[in-house]
Amino acid sequence: MTRPRGCVAAALGVACATALLTAAPVTAAPLRGGGPAAAAADPYFPLSGNQGYDVGHYDLDLDFTPQTHELTAAATISAKAERRLARFALDYSGPPIERIVVDGRAATYRRDDRKLTVVPAEAVAPGQGFTVEVRYRGRPEAIDDPALGLYGWINTDDGAVALNEPDGARSWYPVNDDLSDKATYTFHLTTPTGVTALANGERQGPPLVAAGRTTVTWAMARPMAAYLAMVAIGNFEVNRSLVGGIPNVTAYDPAIDGDDGFLHRTTGQAVEWGAARFGRYPFDSMGGIIDPTEAGYSLETQSRPVYDSPPDEGTIVHETAHQWFGDSVTPRSWQDIWLNEGFATYVEWLWQEEHGGPTAQQTFDGHYATPAADPFWQRETGDPGRDHIFDYDLVYVRGAMTLQALRRTIGDQDFFHLLREWGERHRYGNAQTCDLLRLAEEISHRDLGPLFQAWLYTAAKPSEEAAP
Ligand code: TRP
Ligand code: ZN
């Protein structure tokens, strides 16, 4: 489901033209095929995403054996053609394909490094819904990128975990990996009986046991970007409860020495606390999974983050904050990663402020004391570059500082109104920095272009004036 792009037209208006057009040249990215609605490729990940259709649902049937790490899979993609499709492409770099069927008829296909081009027996008519079924089998492998780390399908001692951010979904299923083409998901996970399999969302019905194998079905009924899709297979202890009527499902690998009660409790508290400040919790369940991997980071997978080790309170608050900021409201391009990480880090500061720790302003002051010559101030938070999207100082800390500077400028009442309105206006959609600027200006009746320029699009320490 692709939403229309909101801020492109607005970028021509007063608010975003001056400050932001220079920062994000719309002409830089090559345009891909398709009609007038065709979006430009992501400037940081130009090979991801495909044009000409809009995915509504992924049904992923995955049969996995932990001992051998062998996967037998059928991915059924329901999409709508946006133009006549004599052929179309998907992002895919997973195991060998056995067969592809489009609308019940065998299709031909071609693979290269990371794209799958499908040629249906008959072209799909414009506006028509169609389904693509891809059967594949083999051992999926993680992507190991020098700048982005280990991600995608990660095999573990007792199973596997999928952590897709930013473009790792293609390592285990064929996908339109475009931030704006969110879709709903169903996961049918089959493993040897005794192995536990989890995914995003809610369990559908009881496990089915046949011939020593168990199948569980999970469904994510809210639109989800591909980088947030998750499965975790292995030896897990699962805990369930209800928090304000919403299921809380946490799991941990009993081989690690962790207090799962802490993750379960703190997740519920962070969701209730967040809902009171940022608006209704966007998903139909919550939770978290502790699964030790070589990845070395936690990820805000939709409704159910994955933690690589027993998390502290700050980490749980951070990944829970992403459910509003990143998962429900998703950036339109990876350049705007600060809308994820700056917000989630700022929510950690807010949590501390309200739980007997330093105020957000004190945390801000501590970082603002960093000398102007320090590498901390190098680069632009609002355009960090592909290899720096996860840089802690640049994106996380300076992103959070941007929000504190904004709070001080517009005042608490407008600022908290903004946080809530941001989550509500763009719920389940995509938004960009330009949308935030426009909304902040609309709420505060101030010209905030200079503040955004100084904090996001300047590779230097903002002046005291921009740091009220
Ligand atoms: N998005 C994760 C978070 O902050 C972090 C993350 C994902 C990450 N991939 C990474 C951090 C790779 C460092 C390296 O919650
Ligand atoms: Zn984060």
Side-chain angles (χ1 to χ4, degrees):
M1 22 190 114
T2 312
R3 304 260 182 124
R5 324 192 101 212
C7 229
V8 172
L12 304 172
V14 184
C16 292
T18 48
L20 302 178
L21 270 184
T22 46
V26 286
T27 47
L31 284 171
R32 290 169 296 173
D42 189 284
Y44 290 5
F45 296 91
L47 299 179
S48 292
N50 307 280
Q51 295 298 315
Y53 63 93
D54 184 1
V55 178
H57 187 77
Y58 294 89
D59 184 287
L60 304 180
D61 192 332
L62 308 175
D63 183 309
F64 187 72
T65 302
Q67 287 89 338
T68 58
H69 296 127
E70 260 248 320
L71 175 71
T72 303
T76 305
I77 301 165
S78 307
K80 190 177 170 196
E82 288 170 337
R83 53 175 163 87
R84 181 177 180 275
L85 296 175
R87 59 180 60 222
F88 57 89
L90 290 155
D91 300 293
Y92 185 66
S93 55
I97 291 172
E98 296 182 326
R99 180 175 160 80
I100 300 184
V101 171
V102 177
D103 284 338
R105 293 177 66 185
T108 57
Y109 59 90
R110 178 164 44 80
R111 281 189 75 162
D112 65 28
D113 190 27
R114 42 181 295 169
K115 289 285 184 192
L116 170 62
T117 304
V118 179
V119 183
E122 195 185 333
V124 183
Q128 192 186 308
F130 64 105
T131 63
V132 190
E133 188 190 333
V134 181
R135 293 188 173 268
Y136 51 104
R137 182 198 291 259
R139 278 186 202 80
E141 279 171 25
I143 298 164
D144 197 356
D145 183 280
L148 306 171
L150 193 69
Y151 63 101
W153 186 274
I154 300 170
N155 291 306
T156 59
D157 290 346
D158 61 345
V161 61
L163 302 175
N164 296 341
E165 193 183 23
D167 65 336
R170 63 183 163 85
S171 69
W172 59 283
Y173 66 99
V175 57
N176 187 29
D177 201 351
D178 175 331
L179 284 172
S180 301
D181 195 359
K182 294 190 179 189
T184 54
Y185 282 69
T186 309
F187 304 87
H188 310 279
L189 307 177
T190 302
T191 58
T193 296
V195 174
T196 300
L198 303 112
N200 311 90
E202 300 78 52
R203 265 248 321 261
Q204 309 292 298
L208 303 176
V209 185
R213 297 186 86 76
T214 298
T215 302
V216 291
T217 297
W218 292 82
M220 169 44 69
R222 308 289 179 180
M224 177 163 75
Y227 82 94
L228 297 166
M230 175 273 294
V231 302
I233 297 169
N235 188 17
F236 291 108
E237 182 95 20
V238 180
N239 286 283
R240 296 166 186 278
S241 68
L242 290 176
V243 177
I246 302 173
N248 180 13
V249 181
T250 57
Y252 70 102
D253 183 336
I256 53 153
D257 193 24
D259 170 21
D260 173 65
F262 183 74
L263 171 64
H264 197 87
R265 240 181 4 259
T266 311
T267 297
Q269 287 164 0
V271 165
E272 289 195 308
W273 177 87
R277 277 149 196 82
F278 317 132
R280 183 168 66 76
Y281 176 71
F283 304 117
D284 305 311
S285 65
M286 66 185 81
I289 298 170
I290 306 175
D291 193 8
T293 67
E294 306 157 63
Y297 57 84
S298 300
L299 190 63
E300 64 268 25
T301 43
Q302 189 154 307
S303 77
R304 191 156 299 111
V306 173
Y307 302 91
D308 70 309
S309 59
D312 58 16
E313 188 180 68
T315 304
I316 298 168
V317 168
H318 180 104
E319 305 307 341
T320 303
H322 274 308
Q323 303 305 313
W324 285 266
F325 306 117
D327 294 14
S328 172
V329 183
T330 305
R332 221 167 249 298
S333 90
W334 288 103
Q335 182 188 320
D336 276 336
I337 183 75
W338 85 276
L339 293 172
N340 287 7
E341 303 307 344
F343 275 65
T345 303
Y346 190 72
V347 172
E348 291 181 65
W349 296 4
L350 275 181
W351 173 278
Q352 289 168 4
E353 174 172 298
E354 294 189 28
H355 292 80
T359 63
Q361 184 62 34
Q362 286 169 333
T363 307
F364 173 99
D365 290 342
H367 294 293
Y368 191 71
T370 308
D374 194 282
F376 180 89
W377 302 108
Q378 270 176 22
R379 306 186 165 274
E380 299 175 16
T381 299
D383 192 5
R386 186 259 186 208
D387 290 351
H388 300 276
I389 57 173
F390 300 127
D391 276 18
Y392 189 68
D393 287 345
L394 171 61
V395 174
Y396 292 60
V397 177
R398 285 174 58 195
M401 292 178 80
T402 301
L403 291 174
Q404 178 61 17
L406 179 60
R407 177 179 171 187
R408 291 271 287 192
T409 301
I410 68 178
D412 276 17
Q413 196 179 329
D414 284 354
F415 180 75
F416 286 100
H417 178 190
L418 172 66
L419 289 187
R420 185 178 282 267
E421 186 62 24
W422 181 248
E424 280 169 12
R425 194 172 289 196
H426 299 292
R427 187 176 294 259
Y428 308 133
N430 299 83
Q432 48 194 349
T433 299
C434 175
D435 297 304
L436 184 72
L437 172 58
R438 281 197 307 155
L439 184 59
E441 290 186 332
E442 181 187 312
I443 288 173
S444 69
H445 307 286
R446 281 168 201 264
D447 173 16
L448 298 168
L451 183 135
F452 275 58
Q453 185 71 48
W455 280 95
L456 297 173
Y457 303 111
T458 308
K461 182 175 177 175
S463 65
E464 304 269 348
E465 196 177 68

